[in-house]
């Protein structure tokens, strides 16, 4: 019985140069496209945001700006009234304390008699 041995591979030829040892042909093209997208995104994104802001500012009407200014003035006025309200509360508390002290003093018996 003889065993069938697999055939021996051909010996390597040292003069043969392997040409197809680099990456596939599509890799450099995909790399360039990816880099181009990244660079364009970095450059164009701030420009797009600035353009959008400019468009947004242009769409605000003068009536709306006047109304916002009036609302701001009203808020400032109300904040001042809040401070005045606090001062008035302090004055009312002081007056209540004075009236309470006067009432308590009138109830106490006086010296020397009833």
């Amino acid at each position: 019985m003889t065993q069938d041995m697999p055939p021996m591979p051909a010996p390597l030829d040292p003069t043969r140069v392997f040409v197809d040892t680099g990456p596939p042909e599509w890799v450099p093209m995909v790399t360039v496209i990816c880099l181009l997208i990244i660079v364009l995104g970095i450059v164009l994104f701030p420009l797009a945001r600035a353009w959008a802001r400019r468009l947004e500012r242009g769409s605000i009407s003068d009536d709306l700006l006047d109304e916002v200014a009036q609302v701001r003035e009203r808020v400032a006025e109300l904040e001042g009234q809040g401070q005045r309200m606090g001062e008035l509360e302090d004055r009312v508390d002081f007056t209540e304390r004075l009236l309470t002290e006067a009432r308590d003093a009138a109830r106490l018996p006086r010296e020397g008699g009833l």
Side-chain angles (χ1 to χ4, degrees):
M1 265 199 191
T2 51
Q3 291 181 342
D4 290 329
M5 295 207 33
M8 292 294 288
L12 292 176
D13 184 10
T15 60
R16 184 174 175 199
V17 177
F18 293 100
V19 178
D20 195 24
T21 58
E25 292 178 13
W26 57 269
V27 171
M29 186 175 24
V30 170
T31 304
V32 168
I33 291 172
C34 288
L35 289 175
L36 185 64
I37 290 171
I38 290 170
V39 168
L40 286 176
I42 290 171
V43 170
L44 294 180
F45 183 71
L47 293 175
R49 277 188 13 200
W51 186 46
R53 277 193 226 123
R54 187 172 184 186
L55 288 175
E56 189 175 293
R57 259 188 271 141
S59 67
I60 296 175
S61 67
D62 292 336
D63 294 337
L64 184 60
L65 292 175
D66 292 340
E67 186 176 343
V68 168
Q70 290 174 356
V71 168
R72 287 182 179 166
E73 290 173 9
R74 181 71 176 142
V75 166
E77 180 183 324
L78 290 174
E79 287 175 347
Q81 288 181 356
Q83 183 178 359
R84 286 188 59 211
M85 185 67 71
E87 292 173 0
L88 290 173
E89 288 174 353
D90 290 342
R91 290 179 183 185
V92 167
D93 289 344
F94 178 74
T95 306
E96 287 175 348
R97 274 186 272 131
L98 284 179
L99 290 173
T100 303
E101 288 176 6
R103 198 175 327 138
D104 290 344
R107 288 185 186 173
L108 293 175
R110 297 193 177 149
E111 290 182 31
L114 295 170

